Amino acid sequence: MQAGFRLVAEVGFEGLRLRQVAEDVGIDHSTLHHHFATKQDLVAAIAAYTVSQFWFTAQEDGDPVVRLRSHFDALARLLREHPDLFTVTVELDLRARRDPTVRAAMVEHEAGWRQVLVRTLAEGLAGGTLNREIDPVATAELIIATVKGARLVPGRADVIFDQLFALILGCPLSDDRPPNEETSEKRTS
Amino acid sequence: MQAGFRLVAEVGFEGLRLRQVAEDVGIDHSTLHHHFATKQDLVAAIAAYTVSQFWFTAQEDGDPVVRLRSHFDALARLLREHPDLFTVTVELDLRARRDPTVRAAMVEHEAGWRQVLVRTLAEGLAGGTLNREIDPVATAELIIATVKGARLVPGRADVIFDQLFALILGCPLSDDRPPNEETSEKRTS
Amino acid sequence: MQAGFRLVAEVGFEGLRLRQVAEDVGIDHSTLHHHFATKQDLVAAIAAYTVSQFWFTAQEDGDPVVRLRSHFDALARLLREHPDLFTVTVELDLRARRDPTVRAAMVEHEAGWRQVLVRTLAEGLAGGTLNREIDPVATAELIIATVKGARLVPGRADVIFDQLFALILGCPLSDDRPPNEETSEKRTS
Amino acid sequence: MQAGFRLVAEVGFEGLRLRQVAEDVGIDHSTLHHHFATKQDLVAAIAAYTVSQFWFTAQEDGDPVVRLRSHFDALARLLREHPDLFTVTVELDLRARRDPTVRAAMVEHEAGWRQVLVRTLAEGLAGGTLNREIDPVATAELIIATVKGARLVPGRADVIFDQLFALILGCPLSDDRPPNEETSEKRTS
DNA sequence: CATGAATGAGAGTTCATTCAT
DNA sequence: AATGAATGAACTCTCATTCAT
């Protein structure tokens, strides 16, 4: 399963070959069929394995702004340190279009993610620490879409996340009102 | 080429079969090889054809805010009316990872898009009609990433675009401008 | 492999078709690929099989003249009884020009043959039973070339070999030895 | 036709492609079909062209030994200066097995060659300047076979021809009888 | 659990040949 | 005389899958 994951990261689902997976593991390709009756099954397992790797380090308590910031940071770090994870996710998003099993896994995973985002945004909105015009649901979708798009350009993910975060934060730092001190500076890390 | 495009939209590059393309056109598959020596060549042609379909209806003059709004609207309409175009673009983005020819086409296309966005954002910033803290380059990347991510959920593209536009527009809470003026009426979803 | 050999004898390497080989054996052509990954591999196997069929019945002891004569006889008999072997050898010689694997097999095989010939000729020369002016190396090459040429006209091989043998044997006119003694009785054609 | 000849010399009949021939000539491959209706026709033309290149510089008069020697020399020189000619001849000999047209051309060409050889040998025999035990017909076949075999090892053709010539010349240079002065020395050129 | 031989559908590609222009 | 589009048969090779062991 992990070998399959690695292979997908390397050559995509289009280039995924059962024989190669088996060889990487060090077993006969027939033995692979013993564990995964069909290629589809392996793909589903890879999908499940991949989404299981995402454990949103989303604290439930604390300042929503901080939680949102750390969420972006966690994503940025993950993207930096485990680019494979995002590479495979892109592949999975594409495959989900035509593979219901994969689609189900992705939808479920995304639902959890969306829920976390919506709750955090709603709290921030209620607390007045976020741009008041933000619609939590719409912005959650916006964040999800942005992250998905940013996967394709890992090198620019940081700047993209920073800009989005800045926009979400709220009223942009007008000179006559003090901005949120600890977050207004452009994060570059 | 168009048949290839349609087929990619339907079954993806992974399912693209030359024989099927030829059959859709009504010619022998050998004849297809007469025009596109290799499958790669056909894929490149499909890529070129696809990006050529994007004619950013980006006026050079006028209020940058209006131009940006109409840009989003144009994308939303295109996404609604020609979802195939975006489906194939997703496929192309994936394929670009491993196919230098496709990558070149995508990079070039994206560069033009980015340029238009940066210019419009910079003008809006200079004119004071946009959120003053926006970085044109970063926001251009943000928009591109968002659009790319939104392709995967065409049904939610409208709300995503609207939310992003609202954030870019600026602080709706500024004291000297009535809130919700130019953003509330634009909601189309 | 043997089916491949037979097919080459029949239609040449130019006409060698994997599907035909597989069919002759009674297996699917995919199964053939299971055993010989590539056509080249099968060709190499055919080459190895073919040269392995040549077991020069070259005794190491005894009168060099007798050994040489029996060598020619063995070749003539082989050519009569297994013309396929020579047909394929001709094909292999041609293919060796462009296929390094085949070339290596042929060179090795030929080296063994040459060695046997040179040794026999040298012994005969030393023993005084052969034409004194013969150069063992040159004559070995001459024999090899003649045999290779004779493969193309199997029907005339006997007379060619006999004539060559007679010339190698020595001067039938020498005063101290009765002419036609050991050569006239050997004519078999 | 000449382009075909060159191509056969390079890649053999097995690798001969009409499109390549046409391209080498600088015409469309359809135009080639205008001149040679079928590939077979082109092959036949190549065969005819090839054998036409062999003009045995066989004088009809003079000492048979000298004529034979010069025949060998001419062959050796041709082999040195125009190896393509022999390369293609090898290909033709192989192809003649399965292509009646080519076979006819080769047989006719060979018949002329054989006739020259037989006549020269017979004259030499009659004149007493050759090994008396030589059978003109058998030796002609021997020479032809040897030349055919020597084509496969152009580098060793000289030494092979020299050795064969020495053997044909006659009684080998016994010490007590003067050999043919001008021919007994080992030719090395 | 594991293997390797076997399968069959089908992939991209090649190439001599034909035909309308 | 020459072209280029079109053809179709056939090629080697791939790969997920099955089955007997």
Side-chain angles (χ1 to χ4, degrees), chain B residues 68-165:
Chain B
L68 197 60
R69 180 70 240 176
S70 72
H71 185 69
F72 277 122
D73 286 345
L75 283 171
R77 186 166 353 108
L78 210 54
L79 193 48
R80 236 180 353 253
E81 296 172 2
H82 299 291
D84 283 3
L85 217 43
F86 289 82
T87 304
V88 175
T89 313
V90 173
E91 297 275 351
L92 284 171
D93 267 329
L94 196 67
R95 185 152 255 260
R97 289 172 173 245
R98 287 177 259 276
D99 183 333
T101 312
V102 171
R103 180 159 56 240
M106 298 305 282
V107 164
E108 187 198 352
H109 167 248
E110 213 171 294
W113 185 16
R114 183 178 293 110
Q115 195 181 346
V116 168
L117 288 173
V118 170
R119 189 182 309 153
T120 305
L121 290 166
E123 277 187 42
L125 203 58
T129 51
L130 291 186
N131 186 325
R132 263 178 284 162
E133 281 299 316
I134 275 178
D135 175 49
V137 171
T139 304
E141 297 293 349
L142 171 60
I143 294 173
I144 291 175
T146 303
V147 171
K148 288 191 172 215
R151 296 176 304 192
L152 296 168
V153 282
R156 297 198 265 264
D158 278 340
V159 58
I160 291 171
F161 290 168
D162 282 342
Q163 182 67 70
L164 179 59
F165 182 66

Side-chain angles (χ1 to χ4, degrees), chain A residues 10 91 98 146 171-173, chain B residues 10 91 98 133 146 156 171:
Chain A
E10 197 179 337
E91 297 274 351
R98 286 177 265 273
T146 303
C171 196
L173 333 156
Chain B
E10 194 179 337
E91 297 275 351
R98 287 177 259 276
E133 281 299 316
T146 303
R156 297 198 265 264
C171 181

Side-chain angles (χ1 to χ4, degrees), chain C residues 10 91 98 133 146 156 171, chain D residues 10 91 98 146 171-173:
Chain C
E10 197 178 336
E91 297 274 351
R98 287 177 260 274
E133 281 299 314
T146 303
R156 297 198 265 263
C171 180
Chain D
E10 196 179 337
E91 297 274 350
R98 285 178 265 274
T146 303
C171 196
L173 335 154

Side-chain angles (χ1 to χ4, degrees), chain D residues 26-56:
Chain D
I27 60 175
D28 193 273
H29 63 93
S30 298
T31 307
L32 190 62
H33 266 98
H34 218 272
H35 298 277
F36 301 98
T38 174
K39 189 180 188 179
Q40 180 90 296
D41 292 353
L42 175 62
V43 169
I46 292 174
Y49 170 77
T50 304
V51 300
S52 80
Q53 295 296 100
F54 281 91
W55 263 126
F56 300 115

Side-chain angles (χ1 to χ4, degrees), chain A residues 8-14 87 90-91 93-95 97-98 110 114 131-135 138-139 141-142 145-146 148-152 156 159-160 163-164 167-168 171-177 186, chain B residues 8-14 87 90-91 93-95 97-98 110 114 131-135 138-139 141-142 145-146 148-153 156 159-160 163-164 167-168 171-175 180 187:
Chain A
V8 170
E10 197 179 337
V11 297
F13 279 108
E14 188 171 353
T87 304
V90 172
E91 297 274 351
D93 268 328
L94 195 68
R95 185 151 256 258
R97 289 171 171 251
R98 286 177 265 273
E110 214 170 294
R114 183 178 294 109
N131 188 326
R132 261 180 280 166
E133 280 299 315
I134 275 179
D135 174 46
T139 304
E141 297 293 349
L142 171 60
T146 303
K148 288 191 174 216
R151 295 176 306 191
L152 295 167
R156 297 198 265 262
V159 58
I160 290 171
Q163 181 67 69
L164 179 58
L167 291 177
I168 289 172
C171 196
L173 333 156
S174 49
D175 299 326
D176 50 347
R177 267 182 298 165
K186 277 250 163 169
Chain B
V8 170
E10 194 179 337
V11 296
F13 279 110
E14 188 172 353
T87 304
V90 173
E91 297 275 351
D93 267 329
L94 196 67
R95 185 152 255 260
R97 289 172 173 245
R98 287 177 259 276
E110 213 171 294
R114 183 178 293 110
N131 186 325
R132 263 178 284 162
E133 281 299 316
I134 275 178
D135 175 49
T139 304
E141 297 293 349
L142 171 60
T146 303
K148 288 191 172 215
R151 296 176 304 192
L152 296 168
V153 282
R156 297 198 265 264
V159 58
I160 291 171
Q163 182 67 70
L164 179 59
L167 292 176
I168 289 172
C171 181
L173 311 167
S174 53
D175 301 324
N180 305 337
R187 296 286 171 103

Side-chain angles (χ1 to χ4, degrees), chain B residues 19-65:
Chain B
R19 282 177 151 86
Q20 187 64 49
V21 175
E23 189 181 323
D24 287 4
V25 176
I27 60 175
D28 192 275
H29 70 277
S30 299
T31 307
L32 194 61
H33 269 102
H34 182 67
H35 297 278
F36 301 98
T38 176
K39 189 181 186 178
Q40 178 94 295
D41 291 354
L42 176 62
V43 169
I46 292 175
Y49 170 76
T50 303
V51 300
S52 80
Q53 295 296 99
F54 280 91
W55 262 125
F56 300 118
T57 57
Q59 313 102 297
E60 293 291 316
D61 312 323
D63 181 9
V65 171

Side-chain angles (χ1 to χ4, degrees), chain D residues 13-14 23 40 58-59 62 67 75 94 117 178-179:
Chain D
F13 278 109
E14 189 171 353
E23 188 182 322
Q40 180 90 296
Q59 313 104 299
R67 277 153 57 194
L75 283 171
L94 197 66
L117 288 174

